[in-house]
């Protein structure tokens, strides 16, 4: 029976509401005017129904045989959910309070058991294959960064070796290794460049010792250039995606909706997946990396910027309009001054994110440290891989700190009192030195990456086919079945990873909250250790963790879950601990004043304050995890990314198109759902 | 002469903010608009310079139909109408000078104004207008560093940059303390008397109306329920405007 018929044929007496809900889950609640709850229950029931059946058919989840009947015992919690829903409707109709937790538990049992099975979780492998991990772990703590020469033979020299050399006073024998040169840079004799000759530092043709930057600097340049390009594109675009601006223009509403849809769709596809598409156009290399990073970043920034434009104070806009100014003047004098600080802050945040993405975009685009990492993994060269990880960690932690500090300063937005007319910008030394620095960075990055804009104009012949195949994607049933399966596995991976990450982050976050750890020396050390752990772990992308876990637990979704869980743990640990630090001491004081003991204070003074932000952050993380889960397949972490990579490898673009479509729809839906859920929480 | 004829405003959500409002304002008048919160004062004032599109009716200013003006025409009309707001509506992060100069935008070329260029005369005029409201020493301070009363004076200076023949003031003193309220209204009175600028000003306190206005109209539920001289508002009129339970309060 379709829900609408049930909806209107049920009069709202408790018993009939109960019958109503028993027939169609959620309809009872709908009938009582609790629209949100009703819809949520209906959707959940439908999803659970699908999942139990899908799990039974595809993975034999919960399969049991009773006589001649083969079925899944997961129908039991589903029936319980159904019963709970009817009871909930009945309780609501007779003005008693229901118990939401019961319904949530029933749904959770089904979801987690299915997730556990489809992502092939084998916790015992963490133990049985620990020796494999230990080998890698030893390499990871001993990265190939330095070497020493013993009897004419060059040997890697790690921390222990360096320490021994320092003790023996032979530190001079320890030199940066070849690998150090590849990653960070090496001093080389090169012919003096025109610039150096021009500065009078060398004769023409004279060899000079120069630093030849390594992959890490290439990565920094990638992130920087992509950020600059995306800001330049996103700023004007964001005005077309801002509701309050477009409503002032004829036909603006249509442009607004089109822009928003495009931005959301583009944003749903991860940088690494964009790289797959872009290499078909410009070929492997840094150019592909830059373009992929820029495309994703434009969409992300465009959304953030346009939301910021929508949140400006409308008063000045009204006032400037009232003076007879035209649209451009209104934008320049009423809108632009208001959006400069948030735009700067978001740009800095994006720079941070782009730097992180730049460390992995090379996985498929070929370029930067990502490509280097792929090579080392392929060769099983873990000490070299480890050196790259260390380098990345240092760079990203620095970038993170700089970006955070600047953002804080910008958002504080102090006013300075000036008595005299300020000098115009073109007469200010500071502006010129910033411009010069910016130009030098830009040109330096461009040269370092050996970019050639002409590649843009010469798309590879297969690119035309790619576009054609993406328009006529393959929607045949068997492809749909495979893609549905992979995308569900991806979603379940994100679910488990977020769950593991949050469960682990909760205890650690208490250790990293300044207001709870106390003042003693030991607790101060614990605080720094916990914070440091979060920051170090957070600086490495999930894709790189997956490469390690693949070695530990084997290729497959489980490795992906573990990789995602580590990043989820790191980010949630940071967010949770900040949430704890932000709690209001007032209620704690009040509860303490009533004579409550420590546990009671936590229960009544602290928990009510931290549970909503914790849940909100966990949902936020779940959204992030889904996005990351779409790409972990590139490192052997299973899920939809693997399938996508295969389709691309076999040039089956029309099937790849189906995968991308699914990713866009699922990620955009989850993004929407997570935003709505969090909105309701706060 | 400003003529408002059968003005109607229905908001998209169905709220009837103005129902058939008609009145006239002669040049040089100081017209106070009074009425309860939600009676439609702000809506009326914003319809006059079409920050809000009226649903029906006509507004004639010197026999030019404001309601029929096209985009460019409307901007030319707007630049002769200064507006002052309850929340001042300054661009807080811009300097006082930039805020005042922005009153000139209707007169200057788009390109020049987009790069922030204003002529020497405009800058001199801005400083003169700031001096008129007693803020010449604050020209290069950021607007959010000023107090409420100072911000409102910047708002007046901005309106003066337009060389207005008409000033619309929407509760210009509602966010200020009583002493400041008088000082702001004195500026408006001065502009009205000395420069002959017509002023339409919505006010909350009757004694301010008595003190400054030359004429008053009262709105109730979007209709004009009184029109006459300020001192004609007696107790019966007062109850008709503000409701039976209302009591007179006064401001120092
Ligand atoms: N943008 C809008 N959309 C819908 N209704 C509106 C809008 N602005 C105002 N209204 C409604 O129109 C009516 C008149 O509002 P208006 O702001 O003109 O009153 P007011 O007399 O200025 O009140 P106050 O003294 O509180 O400023 C009110 O009922 C208000 O709720
Ligand atoms: Mg108002």
């Amino acid at each position: 029976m379709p829900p609408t018929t049930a909806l209107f044929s049920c009069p709202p007496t408790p018993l009939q509401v109960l019958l109503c809900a028993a027939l169609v889950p959620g309809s009872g609640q709908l009938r009582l005017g609790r629209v949100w709850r009703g819809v949520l229950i209906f959707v959940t029931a439908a999803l659970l129904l699908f999942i139990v059946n899908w799990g039974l058919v595809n993975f034999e989840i919960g399969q049991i045989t009773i006589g001649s009947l083969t079925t899944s015992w997961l129908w039991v919690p589903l029936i319980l959910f159904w019963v709970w829903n009817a009871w909930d409707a009945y309780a609501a109709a007779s003005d008693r309070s229901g118990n939401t937790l019961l319904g949530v538990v029933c749904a959770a049992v089904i979801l987690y058991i299915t997730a556990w099975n489809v992502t092939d979780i084998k916790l015992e492998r963490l133990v049985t294959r620990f020796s494999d991990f230990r080998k890698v772990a030893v390499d990871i703590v001993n990265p190939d960064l330095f070497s020493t020469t013993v009897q004419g033979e060059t040997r890697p020299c790690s921390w222990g070796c360096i320490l021994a050399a320092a003790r023996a006073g032979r530190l001079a024998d320890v030199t940066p290794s070849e690998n150090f040169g590849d990653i960070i840079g090496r001093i080389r004799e090169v012919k003096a460049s025109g610039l150096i000759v021009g500065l009078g530092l060398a004769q023409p043709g004279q060899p000079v010792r120069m630093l030849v930057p390594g992959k890490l600097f290439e990565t920094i340049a990638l992130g920087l250039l992509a950020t600059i390009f995306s800001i330049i594109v996103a700023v004007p675009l964001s005005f077309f995606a801002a509701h309050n601006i477009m409503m002032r223009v004829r036909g603006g509403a249509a442009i607004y909706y089109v822009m928003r849809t495009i931005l959301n769709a583009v944003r749903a596809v991860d940088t690494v997946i964009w790289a797959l598409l872009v290499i078909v156009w410009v070929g492997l290399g840094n150019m592909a990396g830059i373009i992929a990073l820029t495309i994703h970043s434009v969409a992300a920034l465009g959304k953030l910027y346009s939301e910021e434009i929508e949140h400006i104070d409308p008063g000045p806009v009204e006032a400037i309009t009232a003076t007879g100014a035209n649209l451009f003047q209104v934008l320049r004098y009423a809108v632009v001054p208001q959006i400069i600080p948030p735009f700067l802050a978001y740009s800095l945040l994006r720079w941070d994110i782009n730097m992180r993405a730049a460390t992995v975009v090379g996985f498929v685009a070929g370029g930067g440290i990502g490509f280097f990492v792929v090579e080392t993994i392929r060769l099983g060269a873990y000490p070299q891989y480890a050196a790259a990880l260390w380098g990345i960690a240092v760079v990203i932690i620095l970038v993170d700190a700089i970006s955070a500090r600047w953002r804080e300063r910008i958002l504080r937005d102090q006013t300075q009192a000036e008595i005299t007319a300020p000098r115009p910008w073109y007469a200010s030394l500071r502006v010129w030195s910033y411009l010069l620095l910016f130009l030098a960075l830009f040109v330096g990055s461009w040269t370092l990456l050996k970019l050639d804009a002409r590649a843009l104009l010469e798309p590879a012949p297969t690119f035309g086919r790619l576009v054609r195949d993406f328009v006529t994607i393959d929607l045949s049933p068997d492809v749909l079945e495979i893609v549905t399966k992979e995308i569900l596995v991806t979603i379940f991976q994100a679910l488990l990873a977020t769950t593991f990450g949050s469960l682990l982050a909760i205890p650690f976050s208490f250790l990293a909250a300044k207001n709870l750890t106390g003042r003693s020396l030991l607790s101060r050390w614990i605080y720094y250790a916990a914070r440091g752990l979060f920051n170090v772990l957070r600086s490495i992308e999930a894709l790189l963790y997956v490469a390690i876990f693949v070695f530990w637990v084997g290729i497959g979704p489980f490795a992906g879950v573990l990789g995602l869980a580590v990043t989820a743990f790191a980010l949630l640990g940071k967010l949770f601990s900040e949430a704890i630090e932000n709690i209001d001491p007032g209620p704690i004081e009040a509860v303490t004043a009533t004579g409550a003991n420590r546990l009671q204070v936590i229960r009544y003074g602290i928990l009510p304050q931290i549970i909503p932000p914790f849940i909100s952050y966990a949902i936020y993380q779940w959204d992030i995890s889904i996005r990351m889960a779409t790409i972990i397949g590139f490192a052997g972490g299973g899920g939809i990314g693997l399938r996508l990579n295969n389709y691309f490898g076999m040039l089956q673009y029309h099937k790849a198109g189906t995968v991308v479509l699914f990713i866009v729809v699922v990620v955009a839906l989850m993004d929407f759902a997570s935003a709505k859920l969090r909105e309701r929480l706060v | 002469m400003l003529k408002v004829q059968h003005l109607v405003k229905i908001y998209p959500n169905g709220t009837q903010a103005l129902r058939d409002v008609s009145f006239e304002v002669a040049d040089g008048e100081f017209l106070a608009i009074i009425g309860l919160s939600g009676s439609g004062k702000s809506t009326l004032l914003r319809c006059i310079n079409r920050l809000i599109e009226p649903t029906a009716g006509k507004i004639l200013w010197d026999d030019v139909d404001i309601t029929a003006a096209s985009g460019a025409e409307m901007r030319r009309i707007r630049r002769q109408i200064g507006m002052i707001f309850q929340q001042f509506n300054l661009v807080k992060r811009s300097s006082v000078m930039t805020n005042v100069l922005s009153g000139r935008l209707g007169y200057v070329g788009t390109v020049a104004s987009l790069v922030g260029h204003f002529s020497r005369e405009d800058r001199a005029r801005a400083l003169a207008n700031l001096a008129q409201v007693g803020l010449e020493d604050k020209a290069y301070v950021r607007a959010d560093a000023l107090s409420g009363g100072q911000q409102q004076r910047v708002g007046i200076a901005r309106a003066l940059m337009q060389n207005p023949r008409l000033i619309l003031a929407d509760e210009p003193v509602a966010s200020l303390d009583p002493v400041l309220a008088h000082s702001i209204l004195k500026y408006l009175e001065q502009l009205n008397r000395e420069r002959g600028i017509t002023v339409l000003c919505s006010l909350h306190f009757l004694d301010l109306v008595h003190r400054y206005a030359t004429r008053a109209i009262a709105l109730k539920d979007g209709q004009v329920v009184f029109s006459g001289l300020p001192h004609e508002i007696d107790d019966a009129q007062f109850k008709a405007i503000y409701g039976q339970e209302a009591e007179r309060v006064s401001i120092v």
Side-chain angles (χ1 to χ4, degrees):
Chain A
M1 181 190 289
T4 41
T5 343
L7 198 69
F8 293 110
S9 60
C10 288
T13 68
L15 201 68
Q16 277 159 324
V17 167
L18 179 128
L19 278 175
C20 196
L23 278 175
V24 182
S27 64
Q29 288 79 355
L30 254 175
R31 189 73 190 88
L32 294 166
R34 310 172 103 193
V35 179
W36 245 91
R37 198 179 177 85
V39 170
L40 201 65
I41 291 178
F42 179 77
V43 172
T44 311
L47 278 179
L48 292 179
L49 204 72
F50 171 76
I51 285 171
V52 172
N53 182 54
W54 173 82
L56 180 64
V57 173
N58 287 281
F59 295 87
E60 302 177 351
I61 296 170
Q63 187 165 338
I64 44 168
T65 311
I66 310 164
S68 61
L69 183 73
T70 305
T71 182
S72 166
W73 68 265
L74 280 182
W75 292 114
V76 175
L78 183 59
I79 291 168
L80 285 179
F81 181 82
W82 207 289
V83 172
W84 163 80
N85 132 75
W87 173 67
D88 180 73
Y90 180 77
S94 47
D95 276 333
R96 270 179 296 154
S97 62
N99 190 338
T100 310
L101 193 65
L102 285 176
V104 174
V105 167
C106 293
V109 165
I110 296 173
L111 287 179
Y112 279 102
I113 286 179
T114 309
W116 196 275
N117 281 287
V118 301
T119 56
D120 206 16
I121 301 283
K122 294 204 173 74
L123 284 181
E124 72 281 358
R125 286 201 181 179
L126 287 173
V127 182
T128 56
R129 298 184 47 157
F130 189 74
S131 54
D132 288 293
F133 171 66
R134 206 165 54 203
K135 265 187 276 170
V136 181
V138 167
D139 286 344
I140 284 179
V141 276
N142 292 303
D144 175 5
L145 285 171
F146 298 96
S147 58
T148 177
T149 314
V150 182
Q151 291 149 5
E153 193 186 339
T154 314
R155 283 213 203 128
C157 180
S158 185
W159 312 125
C161 157
I162 294 175
L163 214 67
R167 284 227 184 86
R170 292 188 296 106
L171 210 53
D173 290 353
V174 180
T175 51
S177 67
E178 272 304 295
N179 193 52
F180 184 99
D182 289 341
I183 294 174
I184 294 155
R186 53 168 67 86
I187 309 279
R188 271 270 174 77
E189 297 249 312
V190 288
K191 289 248 169 65
S193 68
L195 183 68
I196 291 177
V197 175
L199 288 172
L201 294 172
Q203 299 296 317
Q206 183 189 340
V208 286
R209 293 163 73 79
M210 293 275 290
L211 177 78
V212 181
K215 295 289 171 204
L216 212 48
F217 285 95
E218 248 178 56
T219 307
I220 296 174
L222 269 175
L224 193 71
L225 279 189
T227 309
I228 293 170
F229 290 142
S230 55
I231 293 172
I232 293 172
V233 180
V235 167
L237 278 188
S238 62
F239 285 86
F240 292 96
H243 194 256
N244 52 347
I245 303 292
M246 292 324 281
M247 287 305 137
R248 302 171 69 92
V249 188
R250 203 170 310 151
I255 300 177
Y256 164 80
Y257 286 111
V258 171
M259 279 299 299
R260 270 296 164 100
T261 312
I262 293 178
L263 288 183
N264 278 333
V266 171
R267 213 164 48 91
V269 177
D270 193 273
T271 308
V272 174
I273 297 176
W274 275 114
L276 271 182
L277 292 164
V278 174
I279 52 176
V280 182
W281 179 13
V282 296
L284 283 175
N286 286 326
M287 196 64 177
I290 293 250
I291 296 175
L293 283 166
T294 305
I295 291 176
H296 185 80
S297 175
V298 163
L301 274 181
K303 172 172 184 275
L304 293 173
Y305 285 166
S306 56
E307 281 171 359
E308 227 29 71
I309 297 175
E310 288 174 355
H311 290 148
I312 60 168
D313 175 6
V317 176
E318 193 179 33
I320 303 284
T321 310
T323 67
N326 61 34
L327 180 66
F328 293 105
Q329 291 171 323
V330 171
L331 291 179
R332 162 71 175 79
Y333 283 88
V335 180
V336 170
Q338 292 195 56
I339 57 178
I340 283 177
F343 270 39
L344 280 177
Y346 276 132
S347 305
L348 278 169
L349 179 69
R350 195 62 217 179
W351 174 57
D352 181 337
I353 298 173
N354 282 344
M355 290 300 268
R356 291 164 195 271
T359 62
V360 291
V361 73
F363 255 68
V364 294
I369 197 98
F371 188 60
F372 177 88
V373 165
V374 172
E375 292 291 290
T376 53
I377 294 173
R378 199 167 293 149
L379 297 171
Y382 278 90
Q384 283 74 32
Y385 174 64
L389 285 191
W390 283 73
I392 290 172
V394 170
V395 169
I396 297 297
I397 288 174
L398 271 178
V399 167
D400 185 83
I402 295 172
S403 154
R405 174 102 13 117
W406 271 6
R407 267 180 284 152
E408 207 177 291
R409 266 190 30 198
I410 287 167
L411 291 179
R412 232 186 288 131
D413 192 27
Q414 280 150 336
T415 69
Q416 67 275 45
E418 290 187 27
I419 316 295
T420 54
R423 258 184 298 181
W425 64 269
Y426 48 82
S428 148
L429 190 68
R430 225 177 52 165
V431 169
W432 281 108
S433 46
Y434 275 137
L435 265 179
L436 219 67
L437 179 74
F438 176 80
L439 219 72
L441 274 176
F442 186 86
V443 174
S445 303
W446 186 275
T447 345
L448 176 61
L449 295 176
K450 304 186 183 70
L451 294 182
D452 186 359
R454 265 171 304 180
L456 288 176
L457 304 176
E458 300 158 359
T462 34
F463 190 71
R465 225 193 86 201
L466 176 100
V467 174
R468 230 174 312 124
D469 285 359
F470 263 57
V471 177
T472 57
I473 53 172
D474 189 342
L475 291 174
S476 56
D478 41 335
V479 173
L480 282 185
E481 200 185 310
I482 294 173
V483 179
T484 308
K485 182 174 151 193
E486 296 297 348
I487 201 101
L488 279 173
V489 170
T490 307
I491 293 174
F492 282 125
Q493 281 183 298
L495 175 71
L496 283 184
T498 312
T499 312
F500 290 156
S502 340
L503 291 180
L504 204 59
I506 290 171
F508 276 86
S509 63
F510 282 89
L511 300 179
K514 220 177 218 152
N515 52 343
L516 295 188
T517 47
R519 298 269 170 273
S520 78
L521 195 65
L522 175 71
S523 55
R524 202 116 37 96
W525 273 105
I526 293 177
Y527 166 80
Y528 285 119
R531 270 293 156 100
L533 180 71
F534 295 150
N535 278 334
V536 172
L537 290 181
R538 217 161 50 83
S539 64
I540 306 288
E541 287 287 283
L543 209 53
L544 301 179
Y545 285 123
V546 172
I548 299 175
F549 283 116
V550 162
F551 199 77
W552 188 351
V553 298
I555 288 182
F558 183 32
V561 170
L562 291 174
L564 290 173
V566 174
T567 39
F569 163 74
L571 181 59
L572 285 178
K574 174 173 182 275
L575 295 174
F576 283 0
S577 56
E578 281 169 2
I580 299 173
E581 286 181 352
N582 282 338
I583 57 176
D584 178 5
I588 302 177
E589 208 174 82
V591 176
T592 315
T594 64
N597 64 31
R598 230 184 137 69
L599 281 178
Q600 289 169 321
V601 170
I602 291 179
R603 166 69 181 79
Y604 289 93
I606 298 178
L607 282 188
Q609 290 197 61
I610 58 174
I611 286 179
F614 273 30
I615 294 178
S616 167
Y617 282 137
I619 295 173
Y620 169 70
Q621 175 62 45
W622 140 262
D623 187 28
I624 297 180
S625 295
I626 291 246
R627 290 161 193 274
M628 289 199 295
T630 61
I631 60 165
I632 48 175
F634 291 95
I640 194 108
L642 182 65
R643 186 67 54 174
L644 186 62
N645 206 9
N646 288 343
Y647 284 152
F648 263 99
M650 297 185 290
L651 305 184
Q652 296 182 331
Y653 294 144
H654 46 293
K655 290 185 187 168
T658 317
V659 174
V660 171
L661 178 72
F662 265 66
I663 291 178
V664 168
V665 171
V666 165
V667 172
L669 266 179
M670 293 299 165
D671 179 77
F672 176 78
S674 117
K676 274 275 167 292
L677 270 174
R678 279 184 295 140
E679 225 169 75
R680 284 177 65 83
L681 267 175
V682 288
Chain B
M1 176 74 102
L2 180 75
K3 293 181 197 158
V4 174
Q5 297 172 344
H6 308 294
L7 198 64
V8 175
K9 173 65 191 178
I10 303 170
Y11 280 107
N13 66 0
T15 312
Q16 271 244 332
L18 297 175
R19 317 161 188 249
D20 195 17
V21 169
S22 300
F23 64 93
E24 292 186 357
V25 191
D27 288 343
E29 271 192 291
F30 191 125
L31 179 80
I33 301 169
I34 58 175
L36 277 175
S37 182
S39 56
K41 305 183 293 292
S42 301
T43 306
L44 172 61
L45 286 170
R46 281 171 174 72
C47 281
I48 292 176
N49 62 358
R50 290 225 342 243
L51 287 180
I52 290 176
E53 268 327 300
T55 310
K58 264 191 184 175
I59 299 168
L60 300 173
W61 194 27
D62 293 343
D63 299 320
V64 176
D65 188 355
I66 293 182
T67 40
S70 71
E73 274 173 78
M74 193 56 230
R75 287 198 293 276
R76 260 197 303 284
I77 295 171
R78 270 182 193 149
R79 70 183 191 188
Q80 305 173 56
I81 305 178
M83 189 153 194
I84 296 166
F85 303 85
Q86 176 179 353
Q87 298 301 337
F88 325 132
N89 287 359
L90 300 185
V91 181
K92 298 225 168 54
R93 295 190 68 257
S94 295
S95 69
V96 167
M97 189 67 178
T98 308
N99 270 293
V100 175
L101 280 172
S102 68
R104 206 67 203 152
L105 287 174
Y107 292 89
V108 300
T110 305
V111 177
S113 62
L114 288 189
V115 297
H117 176 80
F118 287 91
S119 69
R120 212 173 280 276
E121 300 91 82
D122 283 346
R123 291 180 173 276
R125 199 197 303 247
L127 286 174
N129 282 330
L130 275 174
Q132 164 122 34
V133 294
L135 287 174
E136 62 271 48
D137 55 333
K138 298 282 188 196
Y140 301 104
V141 167
R142 246 170 68 162
D144 55 5
L146 299 185
S147 71
Q150 289 171 329
Q151 291 195 27
Q152 193 57 297
R153 275 140 70 191
V154 175
I156 294 178
R158 173 173 64 190
L160 287 180
M161 287 301 283
Q162 296 174 236
N163 242 346
R165 293 197 290 131
L166 171 67
I167 285 183
L168 307 173
D170 186 16
E171 297 183 29
V173 296
S175 313
L176 303 175
D177 69 46
V179 182
L180 283 174
H182 278 293
S183 85
I184 293 291
L185 286 172
K186 273 186 193 137
Y187 280 119
L188 288 182
E189 186 183 40
Q190 198 184 348
L191 296 173
N192 174 249
R193 294 226 178 118
E194 292 173 5
R195 301 200 193 178
I197 301 174
T198 312
V199 175
L200 266 70
C201 178
S202 65
L203 286 172
H204 261 319
F205 288 98
L206 269 186
D207 46 351
L208 292 179
V209 177
H210 287 300
R211 166 79 178 72
Y212 295 101
T214 58
R215 206 157 64 83
I217 62 171
L219 290 180
K220 190 180 182 191
D221 295 333
Q223 280 170 314
V224 179
V225 291
F226 169 85
S227 172
L229 298 176
H231 62 81
E232 289 173 356
I233 307 174
D234 53 18
D235 274 349
Q237 290 285 1
F238 180 82
K239 291 229 150 52
I241 299 168
Y242 288 108
Q244 287 307 319
E245 290 84 44
E247 290 198 30
R248 283 175 186 247
V249 288
S250 75
I251 167 173
V252 216

